[in-house]
């Protein structure tokens, strides 16, 4: 699944389109607000979903080599978050959907992609 599809599906506001935004393939998703738990998630091509709109979220995303971060519940990133996203080449988006609804929508998007639909 690619960011343009994710953004469209979740009706996201795009704050920064990271490196290879159009072509990067998201294969793994983790969701939560405890960055200590995100740090132990060892998967490639990762997307982080959280309601934690802090600079620490971007720093954690960088450490785990995440392709992008989606803020849920209509949270807006600070200017400092957007600046870090730009410096780190990480996509930064926001959706009004809840964490649960975001995860469900991404599950369907992944399943649809796997089925070739």
């Amino acid at each position: 699944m690619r960011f343009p599809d994710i953004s469209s599906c979740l009706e996201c506001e795009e704050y920064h389109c990271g490196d290879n935004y159009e072509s990067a393939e998201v294969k793994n998703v983790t969701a939560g607000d405890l960055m200590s738990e995100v740090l132990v998630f060892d998967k490639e091509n990762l997307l982080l979903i959280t309601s934690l709109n802090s600079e620490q979220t971007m720093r954690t995303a960088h450490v785990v080599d995440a392709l992008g971060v989606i803020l849920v519940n209509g949270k807006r990133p600070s200017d400092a978050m957007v600046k870090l996203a730009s410096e780190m080449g990480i996509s930064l988006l926001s959706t009004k959907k809840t964490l649960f609804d975001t995860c469900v929508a991404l599950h369907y998007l992944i399943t649809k992609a796997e089925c070739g639909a």
Side-chain angles (χ1 to χ4, degrees), residues 18-88:
D19 299 342
N20 303 316
Y21 179 84
E22 297 287 330
S23 62
E25 182 86 19
V26 174
K27 295 183 179 179
N28 294 288
V29 177
T30 188
D33 295 335
L34 292 174
M35 294 300 108
S36 58
E37 290 184 7
V38 173
L39 287 169
V40 298
F41 195 82
D42 187 25
K43 300 282 184 177
E44 294 182 355
N45 300 70
L46 179 66
L47 174 63
L48 170 59
I49 304 168
T50 186
S51 65
L52 187 62
N53 61 341
S54 73
E55 293 174 50
Q56 190 61 32
T57 299
M58 296 312 302
R59 295 186 196 290
T60 301
H62 182 67
V63 168
V64 299
D65 203 24
L67 297 172
V69 172
I70 297 179
L71 297 174
V72 295
N73 300 324
K75 299 268 180 110
R76 296 178 176 265
S78 66
D79 291 341
M81 276 186 82
V82 176
K83 182 179 178 195
L84 280 173
S86 176
E87 290 172 1
M88 297 172 177

